[in-house]
Amino acid sequence: MGAGKEGNGGVLGTFITEWARGASVCRELLASAETCCMYASQLADLAYGLGFDGWLVNIENKVDTKDLPRLHLFLQHLRQCMHTLKPNSDVIWYDAVTDEGDLDWQNCLNEKNRSFFAVSDGLFTNYTWSEGMAKLSANAAGERNFEVYMGVDVFGRNTFGGGGFDCDKALKVAREGEVSAALFAPAWVYETNQPPSFEIAQSRWWSRIEDCWPIARCSPIALPFFTDFNRGCGTRVAVEGKEVSTQPWFNLSCQNLQPILKVIALSESPLEVSMSHEAAYSGGSCIKLTGSDDSQGLVLLYECNVPVKTREIHTSYCVHVDDQLHICIALIIHRESSRIVVLLVEEGSQVQVPSTLKNCVVQQATRKADLETLNSESNKWIVRKHVLELGICALSQIYAVTYSHELDVKKLISLVEDNTLTTRTLITDSVAGSKDPEILHGMLGHLRISTEREHDRELPNIVFEGCEPQWTQKSEAWKSVSLTLRWGLVQMHSSPGNCQWVQYHVYISKDGESRGCSVSRGDPEFLGVSVVKAFSVQDLLISSSCTMLNFHVQAHCTCGLPGALTAPCIVSNSNSNPSSHLDSDISGPVLNKHAV
């Protein structure tokens, strides 16, 4: 957490050596200048290949005095390689080994660890610091004061402030000392099963962090912007409103930019907000709003700073068909010297803007049969799409607007302009579990903002590169298959703006059901999601009577829009020919010699 500069964000890998085994590893690593540079280069390549944004280097063992110059060389070369491969990357040094090679945690930046700070992008201090050490570290760092991260152990093990729900005590001291902070193990909330529930305890913990450490960076910062509020886990998987799996899952690579969720309530009746796994438009979660019969208010979703240099803005969002609370989206637009509130309401809404208000625009959705699905078995979401012609402007805030009856636009504008009313309201068990008919609910499933029109995007030309399946007979009725499906993109169809293919959904159909014809989306069975051009299948149970599997891939772009389903990659396992093969009668992707 950077107090005085905009952090780069991202994920750091950890390189750690400890105790006797660690000392042995260090002797091998630091045996010569050549080995130092070789291992540093390999770590940089590994980070670049896996998408890391740098490394935390944690040497927690004594280092021989003669090896210290090469340890500095290792850090220097790692930093240089990382910055070359990824200019905004970081190499952070953990406060454990001193300039003399002793394992002696300093809990601050001082003359005993300054040389490591000099050849890295920052120092992560040990956790047992006292109040004055933050300011001492800032003085020692000079102009690099915000590159000192005061360590805070959320489990509270000898950490300043005690950790847990009191982590804000340490953060306040770090902020007042004009340094940054590093929170270790925020999974404490989950791992210690904090009452009354994970969602409530998690919101409580992060709200205390936010109260003492304001958001350093606005997001999003560019268009297109898409989020389905996916948290990277869930009890189901949905794709554009259709539930494709009811299996629990966890994949943080699928997580979207999470919303802020600050509530500004208009009436005395509570308006509460939470992330919910009860339903999903895409992925595994959505935003759930809970209020009463007279609730009206705003929920701040994102603080942003997005310049718009095109004439049109295209937006899309969806609400659940069972919603009792009305939900629409409000965009705060800055144009020239004025600020405009743009309300994106449903078709046919009777929303009147008083003549005294010159800074509000109501834009109604245009209904198209192919864009909205109502009360169908497979889709429980209503999609609303808008086209705004605002000219050159800047998008600064995104809100969800809730109301149970008629929307009072004048009071809504006053809420937007009166920042003193902003409070964070957490959902509670009493409201969430209430059977009181006066309790109303609404769900927001996705949000898309783009300068380009939505249109059908063709899937990039995909060539399957093989999978080498391994079959196992489990019983007379069942067999299993394990394989890694790989593919390559040999040609990218043009995609407007900055929308790139970033995610791949993998499907399977069996017994040649799709043979010789195109498969409509939804016919095959959903298997999973990959963010790389490969997908691993382990011990997938197949009926012994099945002789052919057809794997399909569907690309999704940064706008959240899917391409077409590919022609099948065919895996065959028949009694007459136990080896897998490609059926030459199928017109589809060309596979290389390792494919099946």
Side-chain angles (χ1 to χ4, degrees):
M1 302 174 65
K5 67 172 185 176
E6 181 177 305
N8 293 326
V11 177
L12 301 185
T14 299
F15 178 78
I16 182 171
T17 64
E18 297 179 292
W19 315 122
R21 173 58 181 158
S24 175
V25 170
C26 282
R27 283 192 292 271
E28 180 179 350
L29 171 70
L30 306 174
S32 67
E34 290 73 19
T35 58
C36 291
C37 293
M38 177 191 70
Y39 287 120
S41 297
Q42 289 182 350
L43 283 175
D45 290 342
L46 182 64
Y48 182 77
L50 296 179
F52 295 170
D53 297 283
W55 289 96
L56 170 66
V57 179
N58 184 4
I59 307 297
E60 290 203 77
N61 50 259
K62 185 176 176 60
V63 177
D64 293 340
T65 304
K66 64 179 177 59
D67 292 334
L68 287 173
R70 287 188 289 274
L71 179 55
H72 289 96
L73 174 62
F74 169 75
L75 283 172
Q76 284 178 313
H77 195 67
L78 176 59
R79 186 186 187 192
Q80 179 182 349
C81 291
M82 283 304 312
H83 289 188
T84 300
L85 292 172
K86 202 164 190 177
N88 291 323
S89 58
D90 286 311
V91 174
I92 307 296
W93 174 259
Y94 181 68
D95 160 40
V97 171
T98 69
D99 290 349
E100 297 179 349
D102 296 324
L103 184 59
D104 187 8
W105 299 268
Q106 299 300 299
N107 302 295
C108 64
L109 175 64
N110 59 25
E111 68 282 353
K112 290 188 175 182
N113 54 24
R114 190 194 306 269
S115 66
F116 295 111
F117 179 66
V119 294
S120 62
D121 295 304
L123 174 75
F124 182 157
T125 78
N126 191 46
Y127 313 107
T128 59
W129 47 273
S130 57
E131 186 168 357
M133 289 182 171
K135 192 61 179 177
L136 288 174
S137 295
N139 293 337
E143 294 182 353
R144 295 182 62 195
N145 53 313
F146 292 116
E147 293 174 17
V148 177
Y149 301 84
M150 304 305 290
V152 181
D153 185 352
V154 182
F155 276 85
R157 292 163 291 197
N158 299 315
T159 200
F160 181 85
F165 290 110
D166 290 325
C167 285
D168 58 320
K169 294 179 179 179
L171 295 183
K172 289 175 182 177
V173 171
R175 189 169 179 80
E176 290 168 359
E178 297 188 295
V179 291
S180 297
L183 291 165
F184 175 76
W188 167 83
V189 175
Y190 179 82
E191 293 184 30
T192 56
N193 195 26
Q194 290 296 307
S197 69
F198 169 71
E199 295 291 345
I200 296 172
Q202 180 82 335
S203 293
R204 176 189 169 199
W205 190 82
W206 279 110
S207 66
R208 292 180 69 103
I209 302 301
E210 183 185 5
D211 287 344
C212 71
W213 206 288
I215 297 171
R217 180 173 59 185
C218 295
S219 293
I221 59 174
L223 298 181
F225 170 65
F226 170 79
T227 179
D228 50 27
F229 313 111
N230 196 336
R231 307 178 78 186
C233 61
T235 57
R236 59 178 54 79
V237 178
V239 177
E240 291 196 297
K242 181 178 180 180
E243 193 172 90
V244 296
S245 173
T246 57
Q247 296 297 314
W249 63 279
F250 180 88
N251 184 351
L252 287 181
S253 296
C254 298
Q255 187 179 81
N256 291 136
L257 180 65
Q258 294 298 292
I260 296 172
L261 299 185
K262 275 190 175 179
V263 174
I264 310 174
L266 175 64
S267 63
E268 294 182 359
S269 302
L271 176 62
E272 300 177 340
V273 61
S274 66
M275 301 299 296
S276 174
H277 295 293
E278 294 177 31
Y281 175 75
S282 290
S285 51
C286 66
I287 294 177
K288 182 176 181 180
L289 298 127
T290 303
S292 62
D293 192 50
D294 61 347
S295 293
Q296 178 172 317
L298 295 171
V299 178
L300 177 60
L301 301 179
Y302 298 98
E303 291 268 15
C304 47
N305 182 20
V306 181
V308 180
K309 299 180 180 180
T310 59
R311 188 171 68 90
E312 291 184 345
I313 300 177
H314 299 261
T315 69
S316 169
Y317 70 93
C318 67
V319 296
H320 204 266
V321 295
D322 295 330
D323 285 355
Q324 301 139 322
L325 276 179
H326 295 284
I327 301 174
C328 69
I329 295 296
L331 305 178
I332 310 302
I333 301 291
H334 291 264
R335 187 175 61 189
E336 296 177 345
S337 59
S338 62
R339 183 173 72 165
I340 304 170
V341 178
V342 182
L343 293 175
L344 308 178
V345 302
E346 60 189 303
E347 181 205 18
S349 294
Q350 300 301 313
V351 179
Q352 302 295 326
V353 179
S355 58
T356 56
L357 293 178
K358 304 298 184 184
N359 58 340
C360 183
V361 175
V362 174
Q363 180 76 38
Q364 294 194 352
T366 302
R367 186 186 184 93
K368 293 183 179 180
D370 62 336
L371 298 184
E372 300 195 23
T373 306
L374 298 176
N375 295 315
S376 70
E377 288 298 322
S378 62
N379 199 321
K380 297 291 185 180
W381 295 92
I382 303 170
V383 177
R384 298 177 186 154
K385 301 191 177 188
H386 302 75
V387 180
L388 310 178
E389 295 186 2
L390 298 172
I392 296 176
C393 60
L395 172 63
S396 64
Q397 290 173 313
I398 304 171
Y399 289 94
V401 180
T402 65
Y403 55 100
S404 52
H405 298 296
E406 184 178 352
L407 178 60
D408 190 326
V409 177
K410 187 173 182 179
K411 290 183 177 179
L412 180 71
I413 299 298
S414 69
L415 287 180
V416 173
E417 295 177 344
D418 190 353
N419 293 326
T420 61
L421 294 177
T422 302
T423 58
R424 187 182 183 91
T425 305
L426 308 179
I427 195 161
T428 63
D429 280 345
S430 60
V431 173
S434 174
K435 301 300 182 181
D436 190 330
E438 294 184 355
I439 300 299
L440 307 179
H441 301 288
M443 294 183 181
L444 183 63
H446 86 282
L447 173 64
R448 179 184 297 113
I449 305 175
S450 176
T451 57
E452 303 289 343
R453 291 183 178 275
E454 291 186 14
H455 59 84
D456 294 333
R457 284 164 165 77
E458 293 184 49
L459 190 68
N461 189 9
I462 282 185
V463 173
F464 289 102
E465 297 177 349
C467 53
E468 299 181 358
Q470 301 295 320
W471 293 90
T472 303
Q473 195 69 39
K474 296 291 187 179
S475 66
E476 185 175 343
W478 297 96
K479 57 189 174 184
S480 70
V481 63
S482 296
L483 55 88
T484 298
L485 188 68
R486 296 182 177 88
W487 57 90
L489 307 182
V490 298
Q491 178 184 353
M492 291 290 289
H493 290 279
S494 61
S495 184
N498 297 317
C499 221
Q500 303 297 324
W501 303 106
V502 294
Q503 197 177 89
Y504 304 91
H505 291 201
V506 180
Y507 295 82
I508 185 174
S509 56
K510 303 168 186 176
D511 289 329
E513 295 168 359
S514 61
R515 208 181 150 112
C517 64
S518 62
V519 181
S520 61
R521 205 172 68 75
D523 285 343
E525 175 187 352
F526 176 81
L527 281 181
V529 177
S530 175
V531 295
V532 296
K533 301 176 188 68
F535 186 83
S536 179
V537 176
Q538 294 295 323
D539 293 323
L540 179 66
L541 280 178
I542 305 293
S543 169
S544 291
S545 61
C546 175
T547 60
M548 186 177 294
L549 304 177
N550 306 282
F551 292 95
H552 310 263
V553 174
Q554 182 183 44
H556 288 242
C557 65
T558 51
C559 298
L561 298 171
L565 207 66
T566 64
C569 174
I570 302 170
V571 176
S572 177
N573 180 251
S574 62
N575 292 331
S576 59
N577 183 4
S579 62
S580 301
H581 64 280
L582 170 67
D583 192 322
S584 59
D585 294 333
I586 300 298
S587 59
V590 178
L591 313 185
N592 68 18
K593 64 181 180 181
H594 298 296
V596 295

